[in-house]
Amino acid sequence: FELIQNSAAYGLNPVLINTGESETSTLNHNCGAESVHKERRFPKGIEEVKNDETTKWITFDGDADRIVYFYGDSKTNDLHIVDGDKLAILL
């Protein structure tokens, strides 16, 4: 989480959702990496901003050893998952 703590240095503006830290937030309920990848749907909690093509999303699984990187398409309402090969190129 060093990246989140020092996000401004990296030119990022992360927003944490579904952290389980509030009454309206759930941890990994319809929002974890496996849920997004297998069900091919946006996680609970990002419905209102899911089609902003400039926003990219990362969701973790329960023990944070896996991520899914994805974004929405405002023209088709589709979820686009960046798979492992494409993600390796970004790194």
Side-chain angles (χ1 to χ4, degrees), residues 6-72:
N6 299 314
S7 60
Y10 295 99
L12 302 173
N13 184 22
V15 176
L16 302 177
I17 59 170
N18 297 325
T19 61
E21 295 177 349
S22 74
E23 291 182 25
T24 59
S25 174
T26 55
L27 181 62
N28 264 356
H29 180 67
N30 295 325
C31 63
E34 192 163 321
S35 175
V36 171
H37 191 256
K38 286 186 177 180
E39 297 176 24
R40 298 285 181 176
R41 64 186 177 108
F42 291 92
K44 180 179 176 183
I46 67 163
E47 293 84 4
E48 295 182 20
V49 291
K50 68 182 178 188
N51 292 327
D52 176 2
E53 294 168 347
T54 63
T55 301
K56 307 302 185 245
W57 299 94
I58 296 175
T59 185
F60 296 90
D61 72 335
D63 59 0
D65 67 347
R66 247 177 318 147
I67 66 163
V68 171
Y69 184 84
F70 62 99
Y71 63 95

